Amino acid sequence: SAVISQKPSRDICQRGTSLTIQCQVDSQVTMMFWYRQQPGQSLTLIATANQGSEATYESGFVIDKFPISRPNLTFSTLTVSNMSPEDSSIYLCSARTSGSLGEQFFGPGTRLTVL
Amino acid sequence: QKEVEQNSGPLSVPEGAIASLNCTYSDRGSQSFFWYRQYSGKSPELIMFIYSNGDKEDGRFTAQLNKASQYVSLLIRDSQPSDSATYLCAVDGDYKLSFGAGTTVTVRA
């Protein structure tokens, strides 16, 4: 298994500012992902964080709004840029232990409120 | 992301009963299937994943997969009040998980 930590656990931000969320995994993992979960909703994949290269974004999510870094096999960051109240959500980091048949775990999430 | 449908809830079962959760998916090429439990205000917790047709048991949980019918289920035996949570079905496609809307289970003491 993999233990994932995220910082911050929650934040309240002003409209137009940016927030960077950090994700740390306790072991090397093949794949890392960022998800969003809006209140009362299920999880939506934002992007796959690729080590050493640009992230792969899902439809509806763009790099300018959600820049992602992954400098090594255990760490990734997600920035939510130029925030608006619609960005208020829980952001979850996720990691897969190995390949297509590996287990996938989630971090505790970052609860973001934009005023 | 691919379509994943779960049986609508909420599902209420008495303590000690079997809770049955169902999930269908649209992508025949999906390789692996996950069940997560999510308590209110917490992140999803992996219960089981399955990738071969048939049953997979882990304690009180049994996952059943039928790729021909594009169907995966989760049975919770001897349900306990601590099993009260939302259960999310997730389907792997190209190494990315697509999630169902979730089924909320309440176990009545």
Side-chain angles (χ1 to χ4, degrees):
Chain A
S1 66
V3 177
I4 304 172
S5 58
Q6 285 184 234
K7 290 193 298 187
S9 59
R10 59 177 62 227
D11 208 341
I12 300 174
C13 300
Q14 295 298 318
R15 180 195 300 260
T17 63
S18 298
L19 176 72
T20 295
I21 303 168
Q22 297 180 5
C23 175
Q24 180 73 54
V25 189
D26 70 341
S27 58
Q28 293 186 349
V29 292
T30 54
M31 305 187 79
M32 294 181 73
F33 308 89
W34 287 98
Y35 287 80
R36 182 170 73 182
Q37 187 172 30
Q38 297 186 305
Q41 304 293 313
S42 190
L43 283 75
T44 300
L45 179 62
I46 297 171
T48 302
N50 299 311
Q51 192 234 340
S53 64
E54 194 170 284
T56 304
Y57 291 85
E58 297 302 303
S59 176
F61 299 95
V62 295
I63 187 171
D64 290 346
K65 177 67 176 177
F66 297 101
I68 288 170
S69 77
R70 188 181 174 191
N72 56 50
L73 292 175
T74 64
F75 185 79
S76 177
T77 66
L78 168 74
T79 298
V80 186
S81 302
N82 188 25
M83 288 184 285
S84 66
E86 292 71 34
D87 295 320
S88 297
S89 187
I90 297 173
Y91 292 85
L92 294 150
C93 176
S94 181
R96 181 168 289 200
T97 53
S98 62
S100 63
L101 300 183
E103 297 174 304
Q104 186 159 336
F105 300 92
F106 285 84
T110 296
R111 183 180 295 271
L112 171 63
T113 302
V114 184
L115 302 177
Chain B
Q1 295 182 47
K2 315 303 181 184
E3 284 191 15
V4 180
E5 300 282 342
Q6 293 187 239
N7 52 326
S8 60
L11 179 65
S12 180
V13 298
E15 185 174 357
I18 295 175
S20 177
L21 305 171
N22 302 318
C23 176
T24 59
Y25 57 95
S26 63
D27 182 11
R28 280 195 178 276
S30 298
Q31 295 289 319
S32 52
F33 308 84
F34 298 73
W35 283 101
Y36 291 89
R37 176 174 63 196
Q38 187 171 29
Y39 293 112
S40 181
K42 301 295 186 182
S43 65
E45 171 193 5
L46 180 64
I47 300 174
M48 296 184 70
F49 82 109
I50 185 170
Y51 51 85
S52 299
N53 276 326
D55 295 357
K56 179 179 179 182
E57 187 174 316
D58 184 357
R60 296 186 294 110
F61 299 97
T62 300
Q64 300 173 316
L65 175 61
N66 184 326
K67 291 185 179 179
S69 300
Q70 296 175 241
Y71 173 92
V72 58
S73 66
L74 180 70
L75 299 178
I76 308 173
R77 292 185 302 281
D78 187 23
S79 295
Q80 302 297 308
S82 59
D83 295 325
S84 298
T86 297
Y87 290 81
L88 299 166
C89 171
V91 176
D92 181 277
D94 297 327
Y95 302 96
K96 297 180 287 190
L97 296 187
S98 296
F99 283 82
T103 301
T104 298
V105 174
T106 301
V107 180
R108 309 188 303 271

